[in-house]
Amino acid sequence: MTTFGYFLSSEEHDSKELVRQTKLAEEAGFEVLWISDHFHPWLDEQGESSFVWSVIGAVSQATSLPVTTAVTCPIIRVHPAIIAQAAATAQTLLDGGFRLGVGAGEALNEHILGDQWPPAEQRQRMLEEAVDGYIHTAPAADMVEAFHKAGGEGRPCAAGLKVCWANDEAEARKTVHRLWPNQGIPGEAAQLLPLPRHFEQLAQLVTEEAATRSTPCGPSPEAHLSAIRAHVDAGFDEVYIAQIGTEQEGFFEFYSTRILPRLRERRSRELS
């Protein structure tokens, strides 16, 4: 059974706005929350990067929904012992509803103390002992299958999906291209570039089509549903949706009336 959640974007919204969106998400019928853990935004245009543990404390007082970090890197920027204390504190504030999502990190966030940035293979070995589930940002059925075969059967698989609801599809596409062109940067650059200005330099080469290729844009329910169902069909147990831009009220109204009811209806049919 797939659970549907809202993705709080720490790179794009300030801490008070994230708390406000938390309340709107619960009212709209989302069942769980993700929150990103960044030291920098990807681009200066996104504009924010609050300290995730302070925000989680505030969020815990605004919602009854479970919260997962997506994702925290517990190997370089913050010592694992401090992460453990922060996660335990969040768990008590959320009455057992906190889950620590972890990853091998990006230079953008983890180079800030001046430590050497290890290659991916070394970071993955450093992280291996901490893995208790799988997080991805694409409907990759082969990766879910590989995780299950490698011993992850019965452990949660979660996916994140960015969307941009707006009354006008063309305007939504422009918003995505302005705020998240880094989505269209290929290869390993996202793990290696250390500063937002480096992402901005590469983002100048990203077309609107490339930036929006994986992002449903505009008011069509079918576009949003199709993207979400692709993740469900790939085998993910949890799918988290982030709304790009400032049209938050319209997004939550749209999802509460046009999207979440249809997703829950499909889930009920599959369970019956």
Side-chain angles (χ1 to χ4, degrees):
M1 181 182 75
T2 303
T3 301
F4 302 104
Y6 185 68
F7 190 169
L8 296 163
S9 176
S10 299
E11 307 94 322
E12 192 182 336
H13 305 289
D14 67 32
S15 52
K16 290 184 178 179
E17 173 62 14
L18 293 173
V19 175
R20 190 181 77 90
Q21 290 179 20
T22 292
K23 298 175 184 177
L24 293 174
E26 185 163 18
E27 291 169 0
F30 285 99
E31 300 158 322
V32 284
L33 296 169
W34 257 14
I35 185 166
S36 52
D37 181 357
H38 267 239
F39 188 87
H40 290 124
W42 295 99
L43 310 169
D44 287 339
E45 182 69 27
Q46 293 166 1
E48 301 294 338
S49 195
S50 52
F51 185 58
V52 72
W53 302 106
S54 299
V55 179
I56 289 172
V59 163
S60 72
Q61 303 306 296
T63 185
S64 61
L65 299 180
V67 178
T68 297
T69 53
V71 288
T72 293
C73 179
I75 59 177
I76 296 177
R77 170 172 46 121
V78 183
H79 192 279
I82 303 302
I83 294 294
Q85 182 186 28
T89 302
Q91 186 75 300
T92 61
L93 286 169
L94 287 157
D95 296 322
F98 176 74
R99 187 165 59 188
L100 179 64
V102 297
E106 308 90 12
L108 177 70
N109 297 303
E110 307 306 325
H111 81 288
I112 59 168
L113 300 180
D115 299 87
Q116 180 183 1
W117 181 234
E121 294 80 6
Q122 182 179 342
R123 300 198 314 273
Q124 289 165 1
R125 289 196 298 270
M126 295 168 72
L127 182 64
E128 186 174 355
E129 291 184 0
V131 172
D132 62 357
Y134 182 64
I135 288 176
H136 202 55
T137 55
D142 57 333
M143 299 300 291
V144 174
E145 182 180 2
F147 173 71
H148 287 159
K149 287 182 177 179
E153 194 67 44
R155 298 180 180 181
C157 287
L161 167 68
K162 286 184 172 62
V163 307
C164 188
W165 176 89
N167 283 318
D168 182 85
E169 180 181 346
E171 286 302 314
R173 293 174 65 85
K174 290 178 182 177
T175 296
V176 174
H177 191 215
R178 176 174 62 85
L179 285 171
W180 288 90
N182 53 294
Q183 294 186 135
I185 296 175
E188 298 179 51
Q191 282 73 51
L192 301 177
L193 298 179
L195 295 173
R197 70 169 184 267
H198 300 139
F199 284 90
E200 287 163 0
Q201 290 162 8
L202 275 186
Q204 294 177 20
L205 305 176
V206 176
T207 64
E208 182 179 288
E209 179 183 0
T212 59
R213 188 170 292 131
S214 62
T215 301
C217 295
S220 166
E222 288 308 319
H224 291 255
L225 287 165
S226 176
I228 296 169
R229 287 168 179 159
H231 291 78
V232 174
D233 293 342
F236 286 98
D237 307 298
E238 302 169 5
V239 180
Y240 294 82
I241 297 96
Q243 160 70 358
I244 295 174
T246 60
E247 298 278 357
Q248 299 296 325
E249 283 79 5
F251 163 82
F252 284 113
E253 173 66 20
F254 175 68
Y255 265 68
S256 68
T257 58
R258 308 292 299 278
I259 304 299
L260 292 175
R262 291 176 65 176
L263 292 173
R264 284 193 285 265
E265 181 182 353
R266 177 187 176 180
R267 185 171 64 188
S268 297
R269 288 200 304 269
E270 291 173 348
L271 290 173
S272 61

